[in-house]
Amino acid sequence: MSDNKYLAIGDIHGCARSLEALLDKLAGYNNRQFIFVGDYIDRGPDSRGVIDLLLDFRKQADCIFLRGNHEQMLLDAIEYGETNMWLSNGGRETLESYQSDDHEIDLSKEHLEFYQTTRLYYDTPDYFFVHAGISPAKTIEQCLEDEELIKEFLWERSHLNAFDTPWEKTLVFGHTPRPFPIRRNKMLGIDTGCVYDSLGYGKLTAVLLPEVEFVQQVCLDK
């Protein structure tokens, strides 16, 4: 185990007030590297506000921003006009936060560059950070050699049903909401459904690594 210390934050989904409150709770940890696992936008009320917060926060902390499937859907809508899937999965709320309509997405240059420069993964000596997951049948090294498997880092869920994996290190991911963080052998899932008003969900979760200590904020955006 290396001496590196990290702080990973799960899916935010437009919950700007919850994110701001969680970052306040984490104010004493700015000496760590912060890894945000994606899905900053959609479904919640203030996607634009979330990105504004993240752009400001990266001025005071070392941040890695991963791409979620929702950021990919937004980029596909902008680049290819593929709006239907995005709009039916929470994109309308994002458009409203930017005061845009279904036919034109009005982003500032800074926000567009933020979305475009998000990463598909972040590899460290002890952890592999992705948005959704990776193939449970391949090593991490094998996944990184296959461009199609890398694309699935945004969507993968099959690892959640795997009894064992050949991974070289612990996978840290979001994407699949659970009432509690997923903590299994070589798996650490931190999407606790901040945007969902269902029993047991409605929390934004951060995890301190390597301690595996969780810090949570109850959703303030409902």
Side-chain angles (χ1 to χ4, degrees):
M1 182 72 70
S2 72
D3 295 329
N4 296 329
K5 291 192 174 185
Y6 307 98
L7 204 161
I9 295 177
D11 302 35
I12 302 164
H13 277 305
C15 295
R17 293 177 61 198
S18 306
L19 173 61
E20 186 172 26
L22 180 62
L23 292 178
D24 285 344
K25 287 184 177 181
L26 300 172
Y29 297 102
N30 281 13
N31 59 327
R32 297 187 181 225
Q33 187 171 52
F34 281 67
I35 296 97
F36 295 84
V37 301
D39 278 6
Y40 314 108
I41 62 170
D42 297 348
R43 297 199 171 109
D46 194 7
S47 293
R48 180 178 183 173
V50 168
I51 305 305
D52 283 335
L53 277 169
L54 295 177
L55 289 170
D56 185 60
F57 185 69
R58 72 179 181 183
K59 298 173 184 175
Q60 54 187 289
D62 180 11
C63 296
I64 300 292
F65 298 110
L66 299 187
R67 180 176 303 180
N69 60 303
H70 284 262
E71 287 76 51
Q72 187 63 58
M73 286 189 285
L74 177 146
L75 290 169
D76 289 344
I78 293 172
E79 187 169 355
Y80 306 113
E82 297 176 0
T83 59
N84 289 342
M85 184 175 180
W86 179 49
L87 293 176
S88 64
N89 282 280
R92 293 189 189 280
E93 288 84 351
T94 297
L95 285 175
E96 289 172 6
S97 76
Y98 282 101
Q99 297 182 327
S100 302
D101 60 34
D102 291 4
H103 306 290
E104 184 176 353
I105 305 168
D106 185 18
L107 303 182
S108 67
K109 180 180 179 182
E110 189 176 30
H111 278 223
L112 180 58
E113 287 180 349
F114 174 86
Y115 295 123
Q116 291 174 331
T117 56
T118 50
R119 306 186 187 197
L120 293 178
Y121 63 89
Y122 184 55
D123 194 7
T124 75
D126 303 307
Y127 303 97
F128 192 74
F129 298 89
V130 294
H131 172 62
I134 69 173
S135 170
K138 306 279 187 180
T139 66
I140 294 172
E141 183 179 1
Q142 288 170 332
C143 289
L144 292 175
E145 293 171 349
D146 188 325
E147 290 187 7
E148 292 304 312
L149 288 179
I150 291 174
K151 291 178 183 177
E152 289 304 308
F153 291 176
L154 296 172
W155 301 93
E156 185 68 65
R157 283 195 170 108
S158 63
H159 60 293
L160 297 173
N161 298 318
F163 290 104
D164 196 14
T165 70
W167 302 337
E168 301 90 330
K169 62 192 76 172
T170 296
L171 185 79
V172 184
F173 59 95
H175 186 59
T176 302
R178 291 288 188 267
F180 303 98
I182 297 168
R183 189 174 181 183
R184 293 166 50 190
N185 183 39
K186 295 184 181 178
M187 290 189 205
L188 195 52
I190 54 172
D191 180 6
T192 45
C194 183
V195 75
Y196 296 114
D197 191 17
S198 302
L199 186 63
Y201 293 87
K203 298 182 291 290
L204 183 58
T205 293
V207 60
L208 304 173
L209 298 170
E211 301 90 336
V212 194
E213 294 178 4
F214 298 101
V215 180
Q216 293 186 314
Q217 172 60 50
V218 174
C219 184
L220 303 174
D221 296 83
K222 295 173 185 175

